[in-house]
Amino acid sequence: MVVVNIKIKRTSFENDKENSYFQTFVYDGDINSSIAFVIEDINSRKDIIDVNGKKSSKINWECGCLQKKCGACGMIINGSPSLACSSFLMDFLDNNNSNNDKVNKNNNINNKNNNINNKNNNINNKNNNINNIDNVNNKNNKKNNNISKTITLEPLSKFPTVNDLIVNKKMVFDSLNEMKLYLESDAKLSKNQHESEYQSSRCLMCGCCLEVCPNFNLENDFNGALSMVNAFKLLIQEKDEKHKEKMMDEYNKHYYAHCGKSLSCNDICPMNIPIEELLNKSNAIAVWKRKID
Ligand code: SF4
Ligand code: SF4
Ligand code: FES
């Protein structure tokens, strides 16, 4: 069990005037709880009271599946973009707590061993002393597991905030349309690239890769890794050569021309999509006009 401060960026708009502030709530529960569960726990309270005793409104946030399948719950958790339904409190607690868990386990093993020793050998003050020390350690470690820790939740910053943790991702769908990322023919099957097509289709459009991309913003023509990942399978599958040409032109304009290949996007994807591999293959097709299927 842990006691955690959940610090949430609250945003509302009145007559187009933005009002933003941080508000902290206490969560006292299981260390295995997901961030999604924690938000719902706070929202389900009869009276939602923050750490300063102020009565509060429900936290606005989005979720669709709670199973890492829809991408709706993307948000910044302790400074890093992640999905709330697949991020757990224990991921954000410092090593002291997990070390304490380990020490607790070791101490429990010691206690058990000492008990066996006592029974079998009728021993001896030494082991009893060790037992006592271990018991004190256990008590202290239990106390340490209850140390308050703060986890901060903020909306993804590259999209306009609607309220609290909800952002407007309309741009994502506009950008796929702008790059003509749809099929004009039946899909062509590719035996050799099926694994990569599968990876490409696992994208949840959560926007986490856009959050860390130094080159992506809503003002320029760059549509970020999300568009490239989705482009790959369509570039492979499209049989209509004219439409494929158009997709390749748009890919160059809205992806290749702006991507600095820093690969910050590669490590952040909650689906572990092999972004670098898809980037190399999409570039090979759309920029270098190589046949890879
Ligand atoms: S590529 Fe990964 S991080 Fe980017 S939108 Fe898709 S699932 Fe999210
Ligand atoms: S490689 Fe760098 S510039 Fe290109 S999409 Fe990824 S983060 Fe953005
Ligand atoms: S709620 Fe669907 S991915 Fe988190």
Side-chain angles (χ1 to χ4, degrees):
M1 300 295 277
V2 279
V3 180
V4 192
N5 285 327
I6 307 294
K7 186 176 167 188
I8 301 174
K9 186 170 183 192
R10 311 289 314 255
T11 302
S12 59
F13 292 88
E14 205 171 322
N15 301 327
D16 285 342
K17 205 172 158 229
E18 180 177 335
N19 179 26
S20 285
Y21 58 95
F22 281 94
Q23 191 170 26
T24 303
F25 303 89
V26 174
Y27 176 76
D28 182 351
D30 199 310
I31 195 169
N32 296 309
S33 305
S34 67
I35 298 297
F37 181 90
V38 171
I39 299 171
E40 273 309 283
D41 178 86
I42 295 169
N43 277 348
S44 68
R45 294 173 190 170
K46 191 164 167 267
D47 290 316
I48 304 175
I49 311 284
D50 71 10
V51 284
N52 298 317
K54 190 177 164 223
K55 200 166 174 182
S56 154
S57 57
K58 286 192 178 197
I59 298 145
N60 296 294
W61 73 297
E62 260 191 319
C63 69
C65 65
L66 292 178
Q67 290 173 3
K68 208 178 177 182
K69 288 195 183 330
C70 72
C73 65
M75 61 183 69
I76 302 177
I77 306 176
N78 273 4
S80 210
S82 316
L83 299 175
C85 70
S86 59
S87 303
F88 299 86
L89 290 183
M90 61 185 183
D91 302 337
F92 301 96
L93 298 178
D94 56 31
N95 288 335
N96 280 343
N97 281 340
S98 42
N99 283 341
N100 285 334
D101 282 346
K102 280 182 201 153
V103 173
N104 272 341
K105 271 186 196 158
N106 287 339
N107 285 335
N108 284 338
I109 291 166
N110 282 342
N111 283 344
K112 273 185 196 159
N113 288 339
N114 287 330
N115 283 339
I116 292 166
N117 280 342
N118 281 343
K119 269 186 199 162
N120 288 347
N121 303 325
N122 270 341
I123 345 180
N124 86 38
N125 290 336
K126 252 193 190 172
N127 280 336
N128 284 335
N129 283 342
I130 291 168
N131 250 349
N132 288 340
I133 291 166
D134 287 339
N135 284 337
V136 171
N137 279 343
N138 275 346
K139 271 187 197 158
N140 286 341
N141 287 327
K142 267 185 192 153
K143 266 191 202 160
N144 285 342
N145 274 342
N146 283 332
I147 288 174
S148 283
K149 161 110 192 160
T150 300
I151 293 176
T152 306
L153 310 181
E154 296 166 86
L156 292 173
S157 71
K158 297 275 175 110
F159 302 108
T161 304
V162 175
N163 53 21
D164 295 345
L165 302 170
I166 301 179
V167 294
N168 183 347
K169 289 192 196 156
K170 181 175 178 290
M171 166 273 153
V172 166
F173 305 101
D174 289 348
S175 71
L176 298 182
N177 211 23
E178 180 179 50
M179 290 172 72
K180 309 198 184 308
L181 295 181
Y182 46 83
L183 289 178
E184 287 286 11
S185 65
D186 290 341
K188 183 171 65 184
L189 295 178
S190 161
K191 200 168 69 180
N192 296 335
Q193 296 303 325
H194 193 201
E195 157 68 10
S196 300
E197 281 176 67
Y198 163 71
Q199 295 294 352
S200 164
S201 67
R202 290 174 63 237
C203 174
L204 301 180
M205 301 189 198
C206 63
C208 291
C209 55
L210 305 181
E211 183 68 31
V212 297
C213 177
N215 297 9
F216 174 83
N217 61 58
L218 288 186
E219 271 71 56
N220 65 19
D221 267 351
F222 183 42
N223 292 337
L226 183 156
S227 65
M228 175 279 294
V229 165
N230 283 277
F232 175 76
K233 65 177 183 291
L234 296 160
L235 290 167
I236 288 283
Q237 291 170 353
E238 181 59 279
K239 284 185 199 159
D240 180 330
E241 286 302 321
K242 261 195 181 162
H243 185 64
K244 188 171 168 180
E245 281 292 329
K246 278 188 205 158
M247 279 198 280
M248 294 198 289
D249 285 351
E250 297 297 334
Y251 179 92
N252 277 281
K253 203 160 121 199
H254 295 289
Y255 184 76
Y256 182 73
H258 303 268
C259 173
K261 243 192 153 191
S262 58
L263 290 177
S264 320
C265 52
N266 199 41
D267 299 326
I268 206 76
C269 176
M271 297 300 285
N272 292 322
I273 292 171
I275 291 183
E276 184 177 9
E277 181 192 321
L278 294 181
L279 186 157
N280 289 334
K281 287 186 173 182
S282 301
N283 284 356
I285 302 171
V287 184
W288 315 118
K289 316 283 182 210
R290 289 195 192 125
K291 276 204 174 302
I292 67 162
D293 52 338

